[in-house]
Amino acid sequence: LGAMTDVIHKHGGTVDKYEGDLVMAFFGAPLWYPDHAVRAVRCSIDMRLELDRLRAKWATEGKPSRLEMGIGLNTAEVFVGLVGSGRRVNYTVMGDGVNLASRVQDLTKDLKWPLLITEFTQAKVQDAFELEFAEARQVKGKTVPVGMFRVLGEKGAAGADAVAQAVVEGK
């Protein structure tokens, strides 16, 4: 969790919470970045590369190294702010867009690709990343199917093939 939190912070993300082995993060608040969707995808690629680095390290130490991670991203307007009561308050995000991101993360197992984005994120990042349409999926809470895209790597990056290979091997 610490390693992934460091990667998230490096890209300007905000860690919302930890739930078991899940790290929930968001981009664009409290500081607004016009490229928040690009930052989120770039962060996700770096998280995959960090996981590969950690697995290699753990393997040399004789520790379990088959840990896997699925990442789902969605871009939407959401409520962000302090939520709670007089006894407990959290700075968090809420809304349909947050729920959709969670559903996309769940689909990483089903679609056998550990880094998926919705069509809404794809529209914001398609010029910066190599993407591949996976399928349109009907998800809980939606009345029409949502397009899901695999992230293959950054466009024009020397390591884009390595990123895609790391993602593929990590599934």
Side-chain angles (χ1 to χ4, degrees), residues 10 29 40 44 66 72 74 85 88 98 109 128 135 139-140 153:
K10 177 180 125 185
S44 299
R66 302 215 22 138
N74 182 47
S85 69
R88 183 166 182 221
V98 177
K109 297 173 209 104
E135 68 179 57
V139 295
K140 183 179 174 185

Side-chain angles (χ1 to χ4, degrees), residues 110-137:
D110 219 24
L111 297 178
K112 298 187 183 348
W113 197 262
L115 177 45
L116 295 174
I117 64 174
T118 64
E119 62 190 64
F120 310 111
T121 301
Q122 180 265 349
K124 301 279 187 189
V125 304
Q126 63 188 342
D127 293 336
F129 299 96
E130 296 291 341
L131 307 171
E132 178 180 89
F133 179 75
E135 68 179 57
R137 226 359 132 87

Side-chain angles (χ1 to χ4, degrees), residues 53-65:
R53 189 193 68 73
L54 288 170
R55 282 193 277 216
K57 176 181 177 275
W58 294 331
T60 63
E61 296 170 351
K63 296 178 181 175
S65 59

Side-chain angles (χ1 to χ4, degrees), residues 37-38 40-49 73 113-117 121-122 125-133 149-168:
V38 169
V41 175
R42 196 167 282 138
C43 174
S44 299
I45 291 170
D46 280 357
M47 290 171 73
R48 294 294 313 171
L49 294 172
L73 299 177
W113 197 262
L115 177 45
L116 295 174
I117 64 174
T121 301
Q122 180 265 349
V125 304
Q126 63 188 342
D127 293 336
F129 299 96
E130 296 291 341
L131 307 171
E132 178 180 89
F133 179 75
F149 290 80
R150 295 178 184 99
V151 177
L152 304 177
E154 201 155 349
K155 281 193 176 174
D161 290 338
V163 171
Q165 189 62 33
V167 171
V168 170

Side-chain angles (χ1 to χ4, degrees), residues 4-5 7-9 12-18 22-29 40 43 47 72-74 93 98 101:
M4 296 305 147
T5 298
V7 174
I8 292 165
H9 287 164
T14 300
V15 173
D16 183 304
K17 65 183 87 150
Y18 305 105
L22 176 136
V23 180
M24 184 172 146
F26 55 91
F27 290 77
C43 174
M47 290 171 73
L73 299 177
N74 182 47
V93 290
V98 177

